[in-house]
Amino acid sequence: MRKPLKILFIGSYIPRKCGIATFTSDLYKAISSETRSTDLSVIAMNNILEGYHYPAEVSFEIQQNHISDYQHAADYINFSDVDLVCVQHEFGLFGGIAGGYLTSLISSIRKPIVTTLHTIIKDPDPRYRKSMEELVRYSDRLIIMSKMGGDILKQTYNVPDEKIELIYHGVPDFPFVETEKFKKRLYLEGRFIILTFGLLSSGKGIETMLEALGPVVEQKPDLIYLILGATHPEVIKTEGEKYRLSLERKVHSLGLDNNVIFHDRFVTVSELCKYISASDIYVSPYLSREQIVSGALSYALGMGKAIISTPYWYAEEILSNGRGLLVDFKDSEGFSQALLSVINDPDKYNELRKKAYKFGRKMTWKEVGRQYVTLFEEVIDERIQKAEKRWETLTFSRTTLPEIKMDHFRLLTDDVGMFQHAAFGIPDRNNGYSTDDIGRALVTLIRIHQQKPNEKILPLITTYLSFLEHAQTENGHFHNFLGYDRRFLDENGSEDTLGRAIYGLGYVVNSGPTDGMRALALNMIEKSESLLEELQYPRSKAYTICGLYAVLKRYEGASRFRRILIKLSDELVELYEEKHREDWKWFEPVVTYGNAKICEALLHAYQVTYDDKYKEVALSTLDFLTDIQWNGKFFDLVGNEGWYDVDKEKAIFGQQPIDAGYLTKTYITAYVVTGNKEYLHLAHRVFEWFLGRNRLGLPVYDFSTGAVADGLDSQGVSANQGAESVICFLLALLSLSRYTSNIVNTDITQYY
């Protein structure tokens, strides 16, 4: 099952009074209902400085004529976990020449973009052509609401077929009803109602209908022509109510005062449906052919109304095959004849209604929402596939690795040990030191010493080894937390603390710079031996296996350590056999942190024993971690803001360097074990998470100081730069550098 889509809509939005605001709101509701997702949001376009009192789904606002708002919106989108952006486009919604400010927004968005076109100009002047061409360029798909719109896109703007998607304007899913009970609610029972609705402007052609009413009223004196809708807000700004007043004067001059009603208000969708249900005929006397879509006409069709319209593009298409009648522009006599032909022929009237309603079933918001969701999923998948193809050529390329820079590592270290945390690059003494960090820091230092022995690293190894010796308790366990006042804050650390200490000590036994260091480390492991056989948790077992593997690489005949390694490895395999299922190849019902260390441990168990069961489980679970985190573009790691429970959605934010670092190291081990270069490729890709190849597109590694941020949060890169983060980064860099020829600099002498 796919995770629920996280879609962000850009357009005008209720309570702003415009057709696109209503459309965006209806589309939001339709897709929310279809996906059952609570992670949909809206960026609303403001045309007034004070904005509007928006509902909760509006998460960001753009002032139409403030170009800086558009770039800020792009940053907001890129830093979010939105999967796709859906733009509602009409030139007048956006600032700049021909709405050109929109380009500064969509050109900076790093998410897929699907644009719904509410206006398409067939013969644009150069300004509008440029604006539309930019929109076409940056949109993954263009949604049209009529076939004519697709023809114009192809002929005028050279848009390929595969970029165009026809999805009709949505309409309410209303039953096919008789009109009388709704007329009664409007106090119009017994009257024959002709309806025109929508925001009022001179292009609506209302005067044509008024001139057509005389002959009709003579035969149908109970007729009411109901003109529903407020004057368009943009018209109000420039002309006030000039057009409406001219229509009212015309009504009076034609003697139609008892047959024409103006409802000067912007109605809600539910109110509108009541008016449409009460009407007998809907008329759409627009004056311009260049009308590519009409929400009003769509609603009337979808609710099964008998419709008479002028032949603008949308009406010609949507009313074809007998779904409505067409009358030429400004042809009052033609409207009179069409109205009378419907009024005086009940069979014709019913046939028009039924055909309209039948066609309208494919336009209901439920159906439209389903089509949008299908398209969104297709576009998201295409982006991933394109990324996969783009990176296929780089499968065997090598990332240019940064130099091994120890500034921050050294900054965190004093004569006691390594501080756990650092805020804004400043060591935090309040939280003191941790055995968890010291054990892994020892592994890092030993790996550096292995790569290029240097006497200046010896004091650090000595300090950390001394810390562990001081932290070990009488029974062989380890305190974890030491305050800055040099007092331990716990009786014993966790099992993970024990495992991480053994991990570090094992590497000292393997490659410690002096005999004394190796001997002390071995004695400390032996002191903990009885505890190691009783470990319960998978990660503590994994750290211990990695430490014992390092010991056995130096002392192959150390059979007692070999027995413990096999026991712990068998227990991990048994746990996997118990917990995994076909679609969840993992040791636990939740994927949390430091996950790849378990896979790495079993690969090391294979290297010691050559027992295939360890390798099979290690690679199966490692491939599972790949599947749930590598999306073809970057590693989207499991976040600590909820983790990843089986049958639930993966948490996105709170991504931590420990996971990128451990994955890098484990992929390298998998490459060594199998010779499969795909693992080497993946090691490079996940390492690049540190350098900016991640969800936010931001580096967590500071090239100037060697510091590493503690993670990626929904607000951006964490301001904390603690010990675990820099340790895991260096472990990853050291592992990768052994199999990359272009390592820039591994000489650490210049950093001390």
Side-chain angles (χ1 to χ4, degrees):
M1 294 180 64
R2 299 182 70 109
K3 69 180 182 66
L5 295 178
K6 296 184 177 181
I7 307 300
L8 184 144
F9 301 88
I10 299 176
S12 56
Y13 205 70
I14 59 171
R16 181 172 170 179
K17 296 178 180 179
C18 78
I20 294 178
T22 301
F23 181 94
T24 309
S25 175
D26 288 339
L27 181 61
Y28 172 92
K29 293 172 185 175
I31 292 175
S32 179
S33 175
E34 176 68 19
T35 62
R36 300 187 184 279
S37 173
T38 58
D39 289 314
L40 308 181
S41 57
V42 177
I43 290 182
M45 298 300 305
N46 288 337
N47 61 337
I48 55 176
L49 288 176
E50 61 270 27
Y52 299 89
H53 294 293
Y54 290 116
E57 59 263 24
V58 173
S59 59
F60 198 94
E61 299 174 36
I62 295 176
Q63 292 295 339
Q64 176 177 331
N65 295 314
H66 293 182
I67 191 168
S68 61
D69 283 8
Y70 292 81
Q71 189 56 58
H72 293 156
D75 292 340
Y76 171 81
I77 293 168
N78 291 331
F79 292 163
S80 73
D81 58 352
V82 164
D83 296 312
L84 180 143
V85 176
C86 183
V87 177
Q88 303 306 309
H89 182 263
E90 201 283 325
F91 293 100
L93 279 185
F94 307 99
I97 298 173
Y101 283 179
L102 179 63
T103 300
S104 67
L105 170 58
I106 60 176
S107 64
S108 300
I109 293 176
R110 296 194 293 270
K111 315 279 186 176
I113 298 174
V114 172
T115 300
T116 304
L117 298 174
H118 294 262
T119 300
I120 306 173
I121 302 175
K122 186 175 183 180
D123 298 305
D125 69 29
R127 300 168 302 168
Y128 283 88
R129 175 180 289 278
K130 179 181 178 182
S131 185
M132 177 60 82
E133 287 175 345
E134 292 296 305
L135 187 65
V136 169
R137 175 185 175 187
Y138 292 110
S139 298
D140 294 74
R141 283 291 199 289
L142 299 165
I143 294 178
I144 54 172
M145 290 182 268
S146 66
K147 294 176 183 177
M148 181 65 175
D151 293 339
I152 296 173
L153 287 178
K154 288 182 280 189
Q155 295 166 10
T156 304
Y157 302 98
N158 298 314
V159 181
D161 279 325
E162 58 269 21
K163 202 166 188 174
I164 302 170
E165 191 78 17
L166 172 63
I167 302 179
Y168 287 113
H169 192 295
V171 300
D173 190 2
F174 220 73
F176 189 77
V177 296
E178 296 303 323
T179 63
E180 285 307 315
K181 70 174 182 178
F182 290 95
K183 290 179 181 179
K184 191 172 183 179
R185 293 176 187 176
L186 298 176
Y187 304 103
L188 292 171
E189 60 268 35
R191 308 297 293 268
F192 190 92
I193 300 175
I194 300 172
L195 177 68
T196 291
F197 68 87
L199 293 173
L200 205 60
S201 64
S202 58
K204 299 293 186 179
I206 306 298
E207 56 269 44
T208 302
M209 264 302 300
L210 295 177
E211 292 167 359
L213 286 180
V216 182
V217 168
E218 287 181 7
Q219 296 189 34
K220 197 75 172 172
D222 63 345
L223 179 149
I224 291 291
Y225 179 35
L226 180 57
I227 302 167
L228 175 64
T231 302
H232 198 293
E234 297 303 317
V235 174
I236 290 284
K237 288 180 183 178
T238 57
E239 300 179 7
E241 292 287 4
K242 178 181 176 181
Y243 181 60
R244 181 183 298 277
L245 293 173
S246 71
L247 294 177
E248 291 176 353
R249 288 194 297 270
K250 194 173 191 68
V251 168
H252 184 69
S253 67
L254 293 171
L256 297 171
D257 299 87
N258 295 324
N259 301 98
V260 178
I261 297 175
F262 289 91
H263 272 328
D264 180 12
R265 52 194 292 257
F266 187 88
V267 295
T268 64
V269 171
S270 60
E271 289 178 302
L272 175 60
C273 290
K274 293 175 184 177
Y275 279 101
I276 298 174
S277 297
S279 66
D280 297 288
I281 297 176
Y282 172 76
V283 292
S284 181
Y286 286 1
L287 299 179
S288 171
R289 182 176 294 277
E290 289 77 24
Q291 180 83 15
I292 205 66
V293 68
S294 167
L297 182 61
S298 300
Y299 271 46
L301 182 84
M303 294 181 68
K305 294 290 103 177
I307 301 170
I308 303 173
S309 173
T310 51
Y312 52 91
W313 291 334
Y314 187 65
E316 274 191 311
E317 180 176 325
I318 213 77
L319 298 180
S320 61
N321 298 320
R323 292 189 288 269
L325 301 181
L326 297 177
V327 176
D328 203 6
F329 299 101
K330 299 183 179 181
D331 184 357
S332 299
E333 184 178 347
F335 267 99
S336 297
Q337 294 172 358
L339 285 166
L340 289 170
S341 72
V342 174
I343 292 170
N344 295 326
D345 188 343
D347 291 337
K348 184 175 186 178
Y349 171 76
N350 288 325
E351 183 182 5
L352 287 172
R353 287 196 66 195
K354 289 176 182 178
K355 285 185 176 181
Y357 189 77
K358 182 179 179 181
F359 187 82
R361 294 313 83 210
K362 66 179 70 175
M363 299 170 65
T364 63
W365 276 117
K366 181 178 176 61
E367 175 62 19
V368 167
R370 185 192 64 77
Q371 292 180 49
Y372 267 85
V373 170
T374 300
L375 177 61
F376 290 164
E377 291 175 343
E378 180 182 311
V379 169
I380 291 168
D381 289 344
E382 281 181 6
R383 275 288 186 103
I384 294 173
Q385 291 164 8
K386 287 178 182 177
E388 288 173 350
K389 291 179 180 179
R390 185 167 64 250
W391 290 107
E392 280 175 3
T393 58
L394 303 177
T395 298
F396 304 112
S397 66
R398 293 294 178 265
T399 307
T400 299
L401 300 180
E403 61 187 18
I404 295 176
K405 193 170 186 62
M406 300 291 290
D407 296 35
H408 189 67
F409 190 101
R410 185 68 181 85
L411 181 68
L412 291 175
T413 304
D414 65 4
D415 61 341
V416 175
M418 191 176 206
F419 293 110
Q420 289 188 77
H421 301 296
F424 302 100
I426 307 301
D428 178 6
R429 297 179 179 182
N430 293 317
N431 287 288
Y433 317 87
S434 168
T435 297
D436 285 340
D437 296 328
I438 300 297
R440 291 174 293 180
L442 266 176
V443 178
T444 305
L445 293 174
I446 295 299
R447 293 294 301 274
I448 292 174
H449 182 71
Q450 286 175 319
Q451 186 163 307
K452 187 161 184 146
N454 189 293
E455 63 179 20
K456 294 199 175 186
I457 208 168
L458 297 182
L460 287 177
I461 297 176
T462 301
T463 297
Y464 294 163
L465 189 56
S466 175
F467 182 99
L468 291 186
E469 195 273 337
H470 180 53
Q472 191 168 33
T473 65
E474 286 299 319
N475 71 346
H477 211 305
F478 291 83
H479 298 287
N480 190 10
F481 300 115
L482 180 71
Y484 189 66
D485 58 2
R486 301 195 182 191
R487 289 189 296 180
F488 285 109
L489 306 177
D490 53 13
E491 289 295 324
N492 288 314
S494 66
E495 281 195 2
D496 279 8
T497 298
L498 175 59
R500 287 165 172 170
I502 299 303
Y503 181 33
L505 293 171
Y507 271 77
V508 176
V509 171
N510 179 279
S511 302
T514 69
D515 292 341
M517 290 179 179
R518 293 194 297 273
L520 176 60
L522 184 59
N523 288 339
M524 292 171 68
I525 295 176
E526 290 172 344
K527 188 175 180 179
S528 302
E529 185 176 340
S530 62
L531 298 175
L532 302 182
E533 298 188 69
E534 304 301 323
L535 294 172
Q536 298 297 312
Y537 297 103
R539 284 164 187 77
S540 58
K541 294 176 182 180
Y543 285 115
T544 301
I545 292 167
C546 291
L548 296 181
Y549 163 73
V551 174
L552 290 167
K553 280 184 68 179
R554 182 158 187 119
Y555 301 113
E556 188 175 351
S559 56
R560 59 181 180 175
F561 292 141
R562 181 185 178 90
R563 284 193 296 271
I564 295 173
L565 180 146
I566 291 173
K567 177 181 183 297
L568 298 179
S569 300
D570 284 344
E571 289 170 355
L572 288 177
V573 171
E574 290 169 8
L575 182 65
Y576 174 76
E577 295 296 340
E578 177 188 347
K579 298 294 185 182
H580 89 284
R581 65 189 198 189
E582 186 61 30
D583 62 342
W584 188 264
K585 298 183 184 299
W586 193 239
F587 303 91
E588 303 166 296
V590 59
V591 177
T592 57
Y593 71 101
N595 307 295
K597 185 59 67 178
I598 310 175
C599 312
E600 181 190 0
L602 288 177
L603 288 171
H604 287 325
Y606 169 78
Q607 289 175 303
V608 169
T609 65
Y610 296 103
D611 189 331
D612 283 337
K613 68 182 178 185
Y614 302 136
K615 180 173 72 171
E616 289 170 2
V617 174
L619 295 179
S620 177
T621 51
L622 179 59
D623 291 343
F624 171 73
L625 291 180
T626 305
D627 290 341
I628 65 173
Q629 296 179 107
W630 169 245
N631 63 19
K633 297 180 289 185
F634 53 83
F635 270 87
D636 210 12
L637 304 176
V638 173
N640 65 14
E641 297 178 6
W643 305 118
Y644 188 13
D645 264 300
V646 62
D647 299 327
K648 292 186 179 180
E649 184 180 354
K650 181 179 77 172
I652 295 300
F653 285 113
Q655 297 185 25
Q656 300 172 94
I658 186 175
D659 289 302
Y662 283 4
L663 270 171
T664 303
K665 196 170 185 302
T666 305
Y667 283 134
I668 291 297
T669 306
Y671 169 63
V672 171
V673 167
T674 66
N676 184 348
K677 290 186 177 180
E678 179 62 20
Y679 288 119
L680 186 57
H681 163 68
L682 288 168
H684 280 273
R685 298 291 82 84
V686 71
F687 181 78
E688 289 173 338
W689 179 92
F690 291 102
L691 309 181
R693 187 171 180 160
N694 52 48
R695 173 172 282 272
L696 299 185
L698 298 172
V700 299
Y701 175 66
D702 188 332
F703 285 83
S704 63
T705 66
V708 181
D710 284 349
L712 289 180
D713 302 321
S714 55
Q715 296 81 15
V717 175
S718 171
N720 297 318
Q721 299 172 322
E724 180 179 84
S725 300
V726 69
I727 289 167
C728 292
F729 171 81
L730 288 171
L731 283 173
L733 177 58
L734 289 161
S735 297
L736 199 57
S737 67
R738 294 184 63 188
Y739 299 93
T740 302
S741 60
N742 63 358
I743 181 75
V744 176
N745 187 352
T746 58
D747 183 1
I748 67 164
T749 59
Q750 60 181 302
Y751 303 115
Y752 294 92

